Amino acid sequence: MFKKTFFGSEPLFFQLIYSITFLGFLYVMYEVIFLDYIDQTKHLKGVILILFGIFYFRMSRNQIKK
């Protein structure tokens, strides 16, 4: 009846990681727009990029399996 999406087919652990990644991305965008460069967290941008990389890697592996 319902089409199974990539996000819905992932285990709960990865769903939580993806949700945290999205919230982290919103926070990084807030820092970039509203805070000076000195006040921004330096390592958070790298962590968010790595988490997005994991998301896209797993999504591409899922598409290849289909």
Side-chain angles (χ1 to χ4, degrees):
M1 182 175 205
F2 293 105
K3 185 178 178 183
K4 198 169 191 179
T5 63
F6 168 72
F7 188 77
S9 67
E10 287 288 291
L12 181 62
F13 173 73
F14 285 109
Q15 288 180 359
L16 291 173
I17 294 295
Y18 301 153
S19 301
I20 290 169
T21 301
F22 180 71
L23 291 174
F25 173 74
L26 292 178
Y27 181 73
V28 166
M29 291 305 298
Y30 160 77
E31 282 187 344
V32 168
I33 294 171
F34 294 111
L35 296 179
D36 292 333
Y37 181 75
I38 298 169
D39 297 333
Q40 295 177 8
T41 54
K42 308 296 187 261
H43 301 290
L44 186 61
K45 294 175 189 175
V47 170
I48 296 299
L49 284 175
I50 290 170
L51 290 175
F52 268 120
I54 291 170
F55 170 74
Y56 284 113
F57 179 74
R58 288 186 59 86
M59 188 167 46
S60 66
R61 279 192 41 210
N62 188 14
Q63 292 296 328
I64 290 171
K65 286 182 181 178
K66 287 184 179 181

